Amino acid sequence: MGGLDGFAFTFLNLKVMAEWLPKIAAGFVLTVALAALIVAAGLALGLALAVLRAFGVKLVNLGIIFLVDLFRALPPLVIIVLLYFGLPGMGLSLSGFWSTWLSLTLVLAAFSEEIFWAGITATGRGQWDAGRALGLRFLTILFRIILPQAVRMVVPPLTNRTIAITKGTALASVVGVAEILGSAQSAMAFSGNPSPLTLGAIAYALLFMPVVGIGRWIERRAAIPGR
């Protein structure tokens, strides 16, 4: 069997796909849940660190910069393995799911802090001066004037980072979490056919395309004056 028939039998085998669809669907649901928790916690923590950095306390800022640079430099897989296999030696234990969540949350927080901070520093100095001229306090200026502008500016890089970190959930298969890729690889091994990987690719497309669409919609909204 060759040509298109061979390609279809190998990568688009409907019988194999139908057999393993429930497993891939379960992996899809798990990936969505894991990604949602990572994105929510990572972005919130990154924003909190950027806001804390805006206060300009030198010692605190040095600590934030060190942690951010550390988690941006370390490969996510190394962090997952350290947490999953290393913590039990200290009397602590995390499941594969929560080890992956904590690892990727810290990585996303590190990158998003830098992105939020770039947005804050890109906001013109005149915005701060105008707020002070109106008699507004530091926190009011930061939360009512600076942050809304900063967040609008950083939507595109945050969207890209969100997609990248969601793809990173595939690393969870290393610690026994049956997310999309882990489920597809397992199904391929048992079926002896790569068609489950095609299902996995479709599942990732279904997951990421709405994220990209929402990011583009937010970007367009942010570009409209007065919005």
Side-chain angles (χ1 to χ4, degrees), residues 82-103:
L82 285 175
L83 290 179
Y84 185 73
F85 294 104
L87 287 182
M90 301 171 59
L92 301 172
S93 182
L94 290 176
S95 66
F97 182 93
W98 291 112
S99 294
T100 304
W101 170 79
L102 181 56
S103 302

Side-chain angles (χ1 to χ4, degrees), residues 14-30 178-179 183-184 187 199:
L14 297 181
K15 182 180 179 180
V16 175
M17 286 182 168
E19 181 181 356
W20 293 100
L21 179 59
K23 186 176 181 66
I24 305 299
F28 177 85
V29 172
L30 184 61
E179 40 65 63
S183 299
L199 273 180

Side-chain angles (χ1 to χ4, degrees), residues 59 71 83 150 152 155 173 188:
L59 189 59
F71 284 106
L83 290 179
R152 285 185 177 186
V155 166
S173 60
M188 182 182 68

Side-chain angles (χ1 to χ4, degrees), residues 5-167:
D5 289 338
F7 179 85
F9 178 81
T10 303
F11 295 102
L12 299 171
N13 192 311
L14 297 181
K15 182 180 179 180
V16 175
M17 286 182 168
E19 181 181 356
W20 293 100
L21 179 59
K23 186 176 181 66
I24 305 299
F28 177 85
V29 172
L30 184 61
T31 300
V32 170
L34 180 58
L37 290 172
I38 291 168
V39 170
L43 293 183
L45 180 56
L47 179 59
L49 290 173
V51 169
L52 188 60
R53 191 171 170 183
F55 283 86
V57 181
K58 187 174 182 179
L59 189 59
V60 173
N61 284 5
L62 287 175
I64 292 174
I65 292 170
F66 172 77
L67 290 174
V68 165
D69 288 348
L70 176 65
F71 284 106
R72 289 173 67 198
L74 287 174
L77 180 59
V78 172
I79 304 174
I80 294 172
V81 170
L82 285 175
L83 290 179
Y84 185 73
F85 294 104
L87 287 182
M90 301 171 59
L92 301 172
S93 182
L94 290 176
S95 66
F97 182 93
W98 291 112
S99 294
T100 304
W101 170 79
L102 181 56
S103 302
L104 297 185
T105 292
L106 293 173
V107 172
L108 178 58
F111 279 97
S112 63
E113 188 279 335
E114 284 295 286
I115 293 172
F116 282 122
W117 180 246
I120 291 173
T121 55
T123 304
R125 182 71 187 180
Q127 300 292 321
W128 291 96
D129 294 337
R132 293 191 185 97
L134 293 172
L136 300 178
R137 297 186 177 183
F138 174 81
L139 287 178
T140 303
I141 298 173
L142 179 60
F143 285 101
R144 297 288 298 275
I145 298 176
I146 303 300
L147 280 183
Q149 298 180 67
V151 171
R152 285 185 177 186
M153 284 189 286
V154 300
V155 166
L158 281 179
T159 300
N160 291 335
R161 182 50 53 183
T162 297
I163 294 172
I165 208 68
T166 305
K167 290 179 180 178

